[in-house]
Amino acid sequence: MFWVVGLGAVGSAALYQSAKLGARAIGIDRFHPPHDQGSSHGDTRITREAIGEGRVRAPGAALQPDLEELEAATSRSLLVRQRSPGPRLARPRPAIIMARPRSSTTLSPRHGVRIAHEVLSTDELRHRYPQFRLRGDEIGYFEPGAGFLRPEACIETQLWLAQKWAPKSAPQKPVVGCKPMQDGTVEVTTGANTYSAAKSS
């Protein structure tokens, strides 16, 4: 058995995948997920495979097959591909339009994970997006597979399926203690119970 502390976007996905594989897993969250006490609340989040956090996070952003599997299993709409997705725009200098000053890290992951994309010059941006007022040194990153997902619906769906396969998988209790034991296991204590596991996530 192992446990997952925090059942937001990442934690709920870890619990769902573990339950799907038949693992004995316990999910713990202080609040009843989905909730507004973390970074996964709200109706929508933009999604793309090339992300500003860099190469290490890019493989984790390629979630379309998992989301499509969840949609098929529950008939819920979780991922919406934009019919006409807009680009990320940036200039080489710190002044940024519609983007943080990290265009290089946004663009670099594409080299390692084969993401369908286009890098647009200022002239190409002007032609495609005449509504933008450009200074002349901008570049654009266009990803046709971009869109948005519904984070709270994703969390709710993954926890529902995890609980369907493992009925005791998601107690909503605050974690008050966590310590390694001499036998190599890890012990986590909530406000109501103590759990022991060989692995934590």
Side-chain angles (χ1 to χ4, degrees):
M1 176 182 289
F2 71 96
W3 35 263
V4 179
V5 177
L7 299 176
V10 175
S12 63
L15 192 67
Y16 161 66
Q17 294 293 341
S18 300
K20 185 174 71 170
L21 293 173
R24 294 179 62 203
I26 295 176
I28 304 172
D29 197 299
R30 181 175 182 178
F31 305 99
H32 190 287
H35 52 70
D36 62 359
Q37 302 300 307
S39 61
S40 302
H41 68 282
D43 185 50
T44 61
R45 288 290 190 282
I46 190 171
T47 179
R48 59 172 68 87
E49 292 187 60
I51 54 178
E53 284 75 9
R55 184 187 302 271
V56 69
R57 293 291 298 275
L63 300 175
Q64 282 85 345
D66 291 332
L67 292 172
E68 289 168 358
E69 176 183 292
L70 289 171
E71 289 180 324
T74 61
S75 300
R76 299 191 69 175
S77 173
L78 304 176
L79 174 66
V80 178
R81 295 182 185 275
Q82 298 181 26
R83 294 182 179 178
S84 180
R88 279 183 75 95
L89 305 182
R91 297 203 300 272
R93 296 186 295 276
I96 300 297
I97 300 176
M98 292 180 62
R100 297 179 182 178
R102 55 183 185 175
S103 59
S104 61
T105 55
T106 298
L107 299 179
S108 62
R110 73 182 191 273
H111 298 296
V113 292
R114 298 183 180 180
I115 300 169
H117 72 282
E118 294 179 71
V119 177
L120 305 176
S121 68
T122 304
D123 289 341
E124 291 170 319
L125 288 168
R126 283 180 174 141
H127 177 70
R128 291 198 196 183
Y129 305 98
Q131 67 270 33
F132 295 151
R133 297 181 60 184
L134 306 177
R135 295 189 180 186
D137 60 351
E138 294 86 356
I139 59 172
Y141 173 82
F142 175 84
E143 189 176 312
F148 67 89
L149 56 82
R150 305 186 188 281
E152 292 189 0
C154 290
I155 293 169
E156 188 175 54
T157 300
Q158 291 178 126
L159 293 180
W160 180 78
L161 288 173
Q163 195 160 0
K164 181 179 177 182
W165 291 323
K168 297 182 180 179
S169 63
Q172 282 77 52
K173 303 292 183 182
V175 171
V176 297
C178 180
K179 61 180 180 180
M181 308 301 288
Q182 291 185 349
D183 62 358
T185 62
V186 180
E187 187 176 272
V188 61
T189 303
T190 71
N193 301 98
T194 297
Y195 303 94
S196 179
K199 184 177 181 181
S200 62
S201 175

